Amino acid sequence: MEVTNKFIAIKATIDGEPQECDFELKVEPFSLAVKPGSKDVIIKNIYVSIDPYQLNRMKSVSSSKKTSKFAPRIAPGEVIGAYGVGKVVASGNPEFEKDDYVVGIISWGEYSISQGFMGCWLSKLDPMGFPLSYHVGLLGFSGLTAYAGFFEICKPKKGEKVFVSAASGSVGNLVSQYAKNLGCYVVGSAGSPYKVKLLKEKFGFDGAFNYKEETDLDSTLEKYFPEGIDIYFDNVGGVMLEAAISNMNSYGRVALCGVISEYTDVGKRAAPNMLNVVYKRIMIQGFLGGDYMHLFPEFVSTTVDHIRAGKMHVLEDISIGLESVPSAFVGLFRGYNVGKKIVRVSNDLEDC
Amino acid sequence: MEVTNKFIAIKATIDGEPQECDFELKVEPFSLAVKPGSKDVIIKNIYVSIDPYQLNRMKSVSSSKKTSKFAPRIAPGEVIGAYGVGKVVASGNPEFEKDDYVVGIISWGEYSISQGFMGCWLSKLDPMGFPLSYHVGLLGFSGLTAYAGFFEICKPKKGEKVFVSAASGSVGNLVSQYAKNLGCYVVGSAGSPYKVKLLKEKFGFDGAFNYKEETDLDSTLEKYFPEGIDIYFDNVGGVMLEAAISNMNSYGRVALCGVISEYTDVGKRAAPNMLNVVYKRIMIQGFLGGDYMHLFPEFVSTTVDHIRAGKMHVLEDISIGLESVPSAFVGLFRGYNVGKKIVRVSNDLEDC
């Protein structure tokens, strides 16, 4: 059976801050039948993840030499692979059956085929009684990234002082909750008074500030961390990283998860005081959640326990309809999202 | 018995590149007798180490907040504590006897008392048949720093590609030799044609270049490392660190030992591409040799084996006479030293 498949593509490569007009909605014929003999899985997409790193795949020049195959380039006009949850329409793969829920790399479109995207990673999903959207963020890749980055890289101890930037964002918010549950002192930065209020009142942060209102981040951090910072979970890079290094304690650890402030303007690159890094024996570790797939079962089990005990809360920001993908995406770079940004691309309400 | 003690002091705090005229030779009366009841150890200094980090102790403002007690400030006119080898003249401490050789924190002077400098670290020294100067560099703190930084932080594997900056310097030179002995591919940078020739011909580097002759360090490193850099042992910081990060492979490790290019000019701070650090999961770890004292026996044993097997060579640059300390020190920042910079402050040739 052939249908049409709507999907979002870029019109041309994007350098600088993305605009909605950089994207287009395309329509192509799409077969819902598996080619005889293939192991394709045909998926009806339900929820797709909207993540800042995708911008680096849209640039005209690769942002670095000698990177691994992570985040291959996106060509104009092509389907864009993205993390999400969907339902199997047809399968040539014995591991999947029609009507199974799946999670993994699908696409910014109505339908996808589980081949050709970032190693084709796809798994059967047991929703465990939670809304499917939870499995895109909190119980999905954002959650794993937060869990692995915080526990494996930062090696936190109870009582340590933790700073999280973009703390109302998809990963930062979860790191902060893991840190609070462990008994750390947690301060976060965000980009609006509303977000700051949310962090303090809903999530019980020990402190939170709006970085846009601060003129001297070094002094700001000194005020919030009179005893210094032990762990910095960095999602933004730039001047915030410099200020955090300046305020770190000896043996401090920086988990470098993302540098969103540098994605659209390389002039903002952080130039931290490296003498500080030497004298304070600071470790700065870049990482990708995908390297920690072996922790997925442990991460899900721990996180589900926290949720069921009322000790972790979901912060989702869901837009409806495939057409909202471009605005959802460009909004990430303007700080419009509050929590995990997700687009529901299916109109079928029973699958939500 | 009272003698005079000559020592080198700073006239005022030093900001920017140090000059010989920033220093003065002072003469003060000095008692060779231990105060009754005290545990002082009176030492006749023989060799003292000349190290770039001392400059950071001479600045008018501390180079960082929240640093540990490492490298306390040096006041104008005061005795300057420094690593070195000496001979006990008198001791109130039962661990030391007259005529024992000792290694640890002594001073840029003729005599010192083993109290009041950087935790008073001092040990009895068994020269093991080696010249005493070896115990200041190769078998001393420079050696431990190279050993711990390379093996503990970089976790090298045979065949890995290693880049060392300031590769003819006290620590860099030793890191390179450990790396060659392990079977790594090793390229070093240095600041003169003579040093480059030495690295290639005497030390058997796989490659070496004069950074002053290179206009685009990124391309230079790409040429020397067509397969990318796995380990960067950084002694300089600045633009070299940026170029190294750009050329690193995934899971690359940077041991940040010193940032000499930034000591005299903070405008030279490195602004590495942090997106590279994330995507390539690079680890940048600042460290101090002093944290690895527990490795001292293992380090000495391994290094002595290498020396006796002719697989490690000493590269020392020894000036004679206390009066040469200022020129030896300022020369570090102009690249005048070739290998470990040491000053022999004793005229007593039998103790050399």
Side-chain angles (χ1 to χ4, degrees):
Chain A
M1 181 186 157
E2 191 158 281
V3 294
T4 57
N5 180 30
K6 288 188 204 157
F7 62 94
I8 301 294
I10 54 171
K11 292 181 192 165
T13 54
I14 304 174
D15 295 292
E17 198 180 317
Q19 311 293 329
E20 286 184 52
C21 61
D22 292 328
F23 297 86
E24 61 182 336
L25 182 76
K26 296 189 72 171
V27 186
E28 286 185 354
F30 187 89
S31 171
L32 294 184
V34 173
K35 281 192 213 103
S38 91
K39 287 199 157 187
D40 287 356
V41 183
I42 312 286
I43 300 154
K44 183 169 190 294
N45 302 335
I46 302 172
Y47 286 108
V48 295
S49 181
I50 308 294
D51 298 295
Y53 83 89
Q54 298 272 27
L55 182 61
N56 299 313
R57 303 178 59 200
M58 298 171 184
K59 292 179 180 172
S60 59
V61 286
S62 175
S63 32
S64 75
K65 290 190 288 192
K66 300 187 190 299
T67 48
S68 62
K69 275 177 284 184
F70 170 75
R73 310 280 288 288
I74 293 167
E78 280 192 1
V79 170
I80 296 172
Y83 194 80
V85 168
K87 197 175 192 176
V88 174
V89 174
S91 173
N93 183 328
E95 288 177 39
F96 300 95
E97 286 180 26
K98 185 169 183 308
D99 291 334
D100 278 349
Y101 285 119
V102 289
V103 63
I105 303 301
I106 53 174
S107 70
W108 281 356
E110 292 179 304
Y111 293 96
S112 47
I113 303 181
S114 75
Q115 281 206 338
F117 299 126
M118 293 167 74
C120 321
W121 186 67
L122 195 75
S123 294
K124 261 177 89 159
L125 173 67
D126 169 8
M128 296 181 286
F130 294 112
L132 291 178
S133 62
Y134 279 30
H135 298 278
V136 180
L138 178 63
L139 294 172
F141 215 69
S142 304
L144 176 66
T145 300
Y147 185 90
F150 185 59
F151 291 105
E152 292 289 301
I153 292 176
C154 300
K155 297 192 180 8
K157 289 189 284 290
K158 185 178 174 179
E160 283 197 310
K161 314 290 182 278
V162 177
F163 174 51
V164 181
S165 56
S168 72
S170 58
V171 175
N173 183 254
L174 301 176
V175 169
S176 305
Q177 295 194 65
Y178 288 126
K180 281 303 297 175
N181 280 328
L182 183 67
C184 294
Y185 170 90
V186 182
V187 173
S189 64
S192 77
Y194 171 75
K195 291 177 183 175
V196 167
K197 190 168 161 19
L198 192 73
L199 295 180
K200 286 196 283 199
E201 297 182 1
K202 177 166 178 184
F203 292 102
F205 277 47
D206 298 288
F209 63 89
N210 178 355
Y211 72 90
K212 292 177 181 168
E213 288 172 358
E214 304 294 328
T215 51
D216 177 358
L217 289 171
D218 196 339
S219 303
T220 302
L221 289 180
E222 193 162 17
K223 189 175 75 185
Y224 282 100
F225 291 95
E227 295 171 44
I229 299 169
D230 299 305
I231 289 171
Y232 174 39
F233 195 99
D234 188 12
N235 293 297
V236 305
V239 290
M240 193 72 92
L241 176 55
E242 295 174 17
I245 295 275
S246 168
N247 282 280
M248 283 205 111
N249 291 325
S250 289
Y251 308 104
R253 292 135 270 159
V254 178
L256 207 63
C257 178
V259 289
I260 192 169
S261 78
E262 303 182 25
Y263 290 177
T264 55
D265 180 359
V266 294
K268 286 189 180 169
R269 271 188 195 168
N273 183 339
M274 290 295 177
L275 186 59
N276 262 333
V277 177
V278 176
Y279 278 10
K280 299 197 282 195
R281 299 83 144 176
I282 292 170
M283 185 200 68
I284 302 171
Q285 172 80 64
F287 78 103
L288 296 173
D291 285 346
Y292 298 90
M293 291 305 299
H294 58 286
L295 294 180
F296 211 96
E298 169 191 325
F299 142 69
V300 168
S301 156
T302 304
T303 308
V304 165
D305 286 351
H306 282 331
I307 299 171
R308 291 193 171 135
K311 289 163 66 190
M312 256 182 116
H313 305 284
V314 62
L315 189 62
E316 292 176 333
D317 186 334
I318 303 180
S319 300
I320 307 297
L322 181 67
E323 294 76 5
S324 66
V325 165
S327 67
F329 182 67
V330 305
L332 293 175
F333 301 92
R334 297 169 190 172
Y336 292 168
N337 61 306
V338 180
K340 177 66 190 173
K341 188 69 209 177
I342 297 170
V343 172
R344 200 184 86 206
V345 295
S346 163
N347 294 319
D348 199 344
L349 277 178
E350 77 183 42
D351 289 328
C352 295
Chain B
M1 180 183 156
E2 191 158 282
V3 295
T4 56
N5 180 31
K6 288 188 204 153
F7 62 95
I8 301 294
I10 53 172
K11 293 181 192 165
T13 54
I14 303 174
D15 295 292
E17 196 179 319
Q19 312 291 329
E20 285 184 50
C21 61
D22 292 328
F23 297 87
E24 62 183 337
L25 182 76
K26 297 189 72 170
V27 185
E28 286 184 355
F30 188 89
S31 170
L32 294 184
V34 172
K35 282 190 212 105
S38 91
K39 289 201 156 184
D40 286 356
V41 183
I42 313 286
I43 300 153
K44 184 167 188 296
N45 302 336
I46 301 171
Y47 286 108
V48 295
S49 181
I50 309 294
D51 298 295
Y53 83 89
Q54 298 273 28
L55 182 62
N56 299 314
R57 303 177 58 199
M58 299 171 184
K59 293 179 179 172
S60 59
V61 286
S62 175
S63 33
S64 76
K65 290 190 289 193
K66 301 186 190 301
T67 47
S68 62
K69 274 177 284 186
F70 170 76
R73 309 280 289 285
I74 293 167
E78 280 191 0
V79 170
I80 296 172
Y83 194 80
V85 168
K87 197 175 191 176
V88 174
V89 174
S91 173
N93 183 328
E95 289 178 40
F96 300 95
E97 286 182 24
K98 186 171 183 305
D99 292 334
D100 279 348
Y101 286 119
V102 288
V103 63
I105 302 302
I106 55 175
S107 70
W108 282 355
E110 292 180 304
Y111 294 97
S112 47
I113 304 180
S114 75
Q115 279 207 336
F117 299 126
M118 293 169 74
C120 320
W121 187 67
L122 195 74
S123 295
K124 262 178 85 159
L125 173 67
D126 170 8
M128 295 182 285
F130 295 112
L132 290 177
S133 61
Y134 279 32
H135 298 279
V136 180
L138 178 64
L139 294 171
F141 215 69
S142 305
L144 176 65
T145 302
Y147 186 89
F150 185 59
F151 290 106
E152 292 288 301
I153 292 175
C154 300
K155 297 191 179 13
K157 289 188 284 289
K158 185 177 173 179
E160 284 196 310
K161 313 290 182 279
V162 178
F163 175 51
V164 180
S165 56
S168 72
S170 59
V171 176
N173 184 253
L174 301 177
V175 169
S176 305
Q177 295 194 64
Y178 287 127
K180 281 303 298 176
N181 281 328
L182 183 66
C184 294
Y185 169 91
V186 182
V187 173
S189 64
S192 77
Y194 173 76
K195 291 177 183 176
V196 167
K197 192 169 158 30
L198 193 73
L199 295 180
K200 287 196 282 196
E201 295 181 2
K202 178 167 179 184
F203 292 102
F205 277 48
D206 299 287
F209 63 90
N210 179 355
Y211 72 90
K212 292 176 182 169
E213 287 173 358
E214 304 294 329
T215 51
D216 177 358
L217 291 171
D218 196 337
S219 303
T220 303
L221 288 179
E222 193 163 16
K223 188 175 74 185
Y224 282 99
F225 291 95
E227 294 172 43
I229 299 169
D230 298 307
I231 289 171
Y232 175 39
F233 195 99
D234 189 12
N235 293 297
V236 305
V239 289
M240 194 72 92
L241 177 55
E242 295 173 17
I245 296 275
S246 168
N247 282 280
M248 286 204 108
N249 291 325
S250 289
Y251 308 104
R253 292 135 271 158
V254 178
L256 207 63
C257 179
V259 288
I260 194 169
S261 77
E262 305 182 25
Y263 290 178
T264 55
D265 180 358
V266 293
K268 285 189 181 170
R269 270 186 196 169
N273 183 340
M274 290 295 178
L275 186 58
N276 263 333
V277 176
V278 176
Y279 279 9
K280 298 197 282 195
R281 299 86 143 173
I282 292 171
M283 185 200 68
I284 302 170
Q285 172 80 65
F287 78 104
L288 296 173
D291 285 348
Y292 298 89
M293 291 305 296
H294 58 286
L295 295 181
F296 212 94
E298 168 192 324
F299 142 68
V300 168
S301 157
T302 303
T303 308
V304 164
D305 287 348
H306 282 331
I307 299 170
R308 292 196 169 133
K311 288 163 66 190
M312 257 181 116
H313 305 284
V314 62
L315 188 63
E316 291 177 332
D317 185 335
I318 304 182
S319 300
I320 308 297
L322 182 66
E323 293 77 3
S324 65
V325 165
S327 67
F329 182 67
V330 305
L332 293 176
F333 301 92
R334 297 168 191 174
Y336 292 168
N337 60 306
V338 179
K340 177 68 190 172
K341 188 70 211 175
I342 297 171
V343 172
R344 200 184 85 206
V345 295
S346 165
N347 295 321
D348 199 344
L349 279 179
E350 76 183 42
D351 289 329
C352 294

